[in-house]
Amino acid sequence: MSASRLSRTAAAAVLGSLRLAMAALGRVSPGAAARVAERLFATPRRRRPRPDPTAERLLARARPLEVAHGGGALRGHAWGSGPTVLLVHGWEATWASLAELVEPLVGRGFRVAAFDGPAHGASDGAQTDVLDYGRAVAEMVAAVGPVEAVVAHSFGAPATVVALGGW
């Protein structure tokens, strides 16, 4: 059996066990099952980023950013000068997932700010949700502002909408 097939088989077994356990817990204590489900849903996996030559090259020229958030800190970087473009990554990603956008934007005269969302990458926290991530986007905008544009990917897009709505 190949390693990828074994991984899929193991993942299916874990998910099946989790479903069975959650169903049993839901019958005994629906409230406890809801709390466990919420915790699982709101906890991103901290993945070890793959070496990214673009991100590594950018870090050598970056100005560090650190913004208070929820008793911890959001961490990121800024490059260039001019009107600011904020990069907002998706779930279980980091600022480096949008690294390829930095140089083209800086080359067009923008200042680029990018950060790791709460409970992601170098930022503090263990859990987040769209409202928390939205507050993080708003806090980052307040720190680096004014912002000319936002480039958001995946989960970063609804978080940006939350930030714009002032929730």
Side-chain angles (χ1 to χ4, degrees), residues 43-59:
T43 305
R45 293 174 293 174
R46 296 245 187 191
R47 296 181 176 177
R48 228 180 260 149
R50 293 180 223 179
D52 180 339
T54 302
E56 294 298 322
R57 187 176 63 249
L58 289 169
L59 285 175

Side-chain angles (χ1 to χ4, degrees), residues 127-147:
Q127 294 182 314
T128 192
D129 58 34
V130 72
L131 297 177
D132 180 50
Y133 201 171
R135 284 188 294 274
V137 172
E139 291 161 353
M140 190 57 65
V141 167
V144 303
V147 171

